[in-house]
Amino acid sequence: MAKHLLHLAEQVASTGENLNIAECLEVEKGSAGNVRSMPIRNRNFQIIGVAKIINKLNGQPFDENDEQLFEAFTIFCGLGINNTLMYNELEKAMARQKVAIEVLSYHATASGDEVVCLQREVIPDASKWNLGSLTFDDFSLTQDQMVLAAVRMFTDLRLTSKFKIEYKTLLRCLITVKRNYRNVTYHNWRHAFNVAHNMFAIMKGHNIFSNLPSEQYSRVMNILKASILATDLTVYLQVRTQFFSLVADNQFDFSNRSHRNLLRSLLMTACDIAASTKPWDIQFKVAKLVTSEFFDQGDLEKTKLKITPPALMDRDRKHELSLLQMCWIKDICLPLFEGLAKVIPKLAPMRDGALKNMAKWSKIAAAQENGACDLLEPPEPQPRVPDG
């Protein structure tokens, strides 16, 4: 009998049709009965089971009214089973999420051992790492040295004393920031440090805010966090015309708050694109890193989105790198550095560095056009301290 009932269940499951067996069947030894089978479906109307009722108490076959009641019961069963399955999946998802959050929390925050280890290190003067120079080598420090150098910058700008920042807390904060940067080719922790360093180099000894009253100086320092948004090139392109007009008309006024806000935004952009001002071997290395990251992005756009990426991200146009770099410096970087140098003469080295690199890229582009070379390699750099 069990095999027969199993056969009926398989038939209902495969066909999806209701089955009413009115003839007598030996359900239990010595008894006779009839069987009603109906599929149980989930919310997508997929069959997830089969329900059976066997033998009415009055011994009569199941009629149409019985079938309607039974159908309502199977709908209820389907909802119950579906909700149970969903709850199980939710529990699994929540468990996975909990583990993921714990792992993320572990990797995203500084461990006590890391903080203690760096606490023991003696931080050199800024001069040892050349932190006060606008020609600082972007690749000269290790990952941990960049954390310590950032502490040195905070200390030399008197931010730790002014805001009563505990040394251990500052270390933990910087290590956490480092950990949370993605492991990409260029826009990583090193780039973040280099942007911060350039702002430090601009402010330290030639402090552009030194003539401001203390109240205004504090206000400028407190709103630096908003300057991060200014690194968006769309913001730069929107505001630079106003700055260039002020410079051209010799109307820039340090005592004007809106002028200072404008300058702050442009200084952030200058720090963000400062690699274009560095000595040639550093500029070349940075350009290759940026290009590599952009090409990876372009590859994803081609394969995943099925679109043609911009020229700067198109690996098939890598032969245009030198021309693109020359145009990048000429159209985006150089005008900014020229304007800043007029307002702050001590920033002239940034303008001069950009001019030299633009000339280098122009020479490479011309050589490539004539078929003289594929891509000029930079001179052999000095040995670098590896990341670690």
Side-chain angles (χ1 to χ4, degrees):
M1 182 60 193
K3 291 183 178 179
H4 185 67
L5 292 177
L6 179 60
H7 174 72
L8 295 177
E10 292 174 346
Q11 182 178 345
V12 172
S14 61
T15 64
E17 297 177 354
N18 299 339
L19 189 60
N20 189 349
I21 305 299
E23 65 270 16
C24 293
L25 294 172
E26 187 180 356
V27 179
E28 293 183 1
K29 188 174 183 180
S31 65
N34 55 80
V35 180
R36 181 72 172 89
S37 299
M38 188 173 289
I40 301 175
R41 302 177 185 273
N42 61 14
R43 61 179 179 176
N44 298 320
F45 209 64
Q46 297 171 323
I47 298 175
I48 58 175
V50 174
K52 291 178 178 293
I53 50 177
I54 304 174
N55 290 347
K56 292 179 64 173
L57 293 178
N58 60 12
Q60 298 298 314
F62 295 112
D63 55 26
E64 184 175 348
N65 184 56
D66 297 326
E67 291 183 5
Q68 292 178 352
L69 290 173
F70 189 37
E71 184 175 6
F73 173 75
T74 59
I75 292 175
F76 175 79
C77 289
L79 291 173
I81 294 173
N82 188 71
N83 289 340
T84 300
L85 294 175
M86 289 180 62
Y87 182 75
N88 288 337
E89 289 301 317
L90 178 62
E91 280 194 320
K92 292 178 183 177
M94 291 177 66
R96 288 194 294 267
Q97 182 187 47
K98 182 179 179 181
V99 173
I101 290 175
E102 289 177 353
V103 172
L104 181 62
S105 176
Y106 172 78
H107 288 289
T109 58
S111 68
D113 291 342
E114 286 180 291
V115 176
V116 171
C117 183
L118 287 183
Q119 262 188 303
R120 295 170 178 163
E121 296 289 332
V122 177
I123 303 179
D125 292 336
S127 58
K128 179 175 180 180
W129 282 334
N130 199 30
L131 295 178
S133 173
L134 291 171
T135 59
F136 169 78
D137 186 344
D138 293 356
F139 305 98
S140 60
L141 302 182
T142 67
Q143 298 286 318
D144 285 345
Q145 284 176 333
M146 284 188 283
V147 173
L148 297 176
V151 173
R152 169 56 63 193
M153 293 190 292
F154 270 77
T155 304
D156 286 6
L157 291 174
R158 299 191 298 278
L159 296 176
T160 50
S161 58
K162 183 177 181 63
F163 296 104
K164 297 180 174 59
I165 304 174
E166 292 185 356
Y167 182 58
K168 186 175 182 179
T169 302
L170 179 59
L171 273 179
R172 184 183 297 110
C173 175
L174 292 170
I175 294 171
T176 300
V177 171
K178 175 173 74 76
R179 276 185 164 220
N180 278 275
Y181 266 91
R182 293 178 301 155
N183 186 25
V184 294
T185 308
Y186 178 68
H187 289 99
N188 48 35
W189 159 243
R190 183 174 294 281
H191 173 67
F193 170 80
N194 290 330
V195 172
H197 162 263
N198 276 283
M199 181 59 74
F200 170 80
I202 287 174
M203 295 174 65
K204 187 66 177 174
H206 38 82
N207 187 347
I208 59 175
F209 304 125
S210 59
N211 294 326
L212 298 178
S214 59
E215 181 180 348
Q216 291 179 326
Y217 182 85
S218 297
R219 183 176 183 277
V220 171
M221 297 303 294
N222 287 333
I223 62 175
L224 279 179
K225 59 183 180 181
S227 300
I228 295 175
L229 297 176
T231 60
D232 187 338
L233 283 180
T234 58
V235 176
Y236 162 63
L237 294 175
Q238 290 170 2
V239 303
R240 71 173 189 170
T241 301
Q242 180 186 356
F243 177 72
F244 294 161
S245 296
L246 289 172
V247 172
D249 297 337
N250 198 29
Q251 295 296 312
F252 187 88
D253 183 3
F254 275 97
S255 65
N256 186 306
R257 176 174 292 184
S258 64
H259 290 191
R260 294 200 308 273
N261 290 341
L262 182 61
L263 177 63
R264 183 187 72 230
S265 295
L266 295 176
L267 284 174
M268 286 302 301
T269 301
C271 295
D272 193 33
I273 61 177
S276 62
T277 72
K278 296 299 179 72
W280 171 245
D281 63 321
I282 300 174
Q283 148 70 177
F284 185 89
K285 185 174 181 179
V286 170
K288 296 296 287 290
L289 290 174
V290 175
T291 302
S292 177
E293 182 177 313
F294 282 177
F295 283 169
D296 289 342
Q297 176 66 27
D299 292 343
L300 288 175
E301 292 185 5
K302 287 181 182 178
T303 56
K304 301 295 184 182
L305 302 180
K306 308 300 181 184
I307 61 174
T308 301
L312 200 62
M313 297 184 176
D314 193 344
R315 194 180 299 274
D316 295 334
R317 301 178 66 176
K318 62 182 179 181
H319 58 283
E320 301 178 24
L321 170 62
S322 54
L323 181 61
L324 291 171
Q325 287 294 322
M326 182 192 71
C327 293
W328 161 256
I329 296 177
K330 176 177 177 291
D331 299 333
I332 302 296
C333 305
L334 189 57
L336 174 59
F337 296 129
E338 288 177 335
L340 290 175
K342 290 178 181 178
V343 175
I344 311 170
K346 289 186 177 181
L347 298 187
M350 302 185 82
R351 174 202 62 200
D352 298 340
L355 278 169
K356 291 178 182 178
N357 288 326
M358 185 178 71
K360 284 275 192 179
W361 287 117
S362 179
K363 182 179 178 181
I364 296 173
Q368 285 181 305
E369 186 175 357
N370 296 327
C373 71
D374 290 329
L375 185 63
L376 183 66
E377 292 292 338
E380 281 296 320
Q382 296 298 317
R384 310 284 183 211
V385 179
D387 286 350

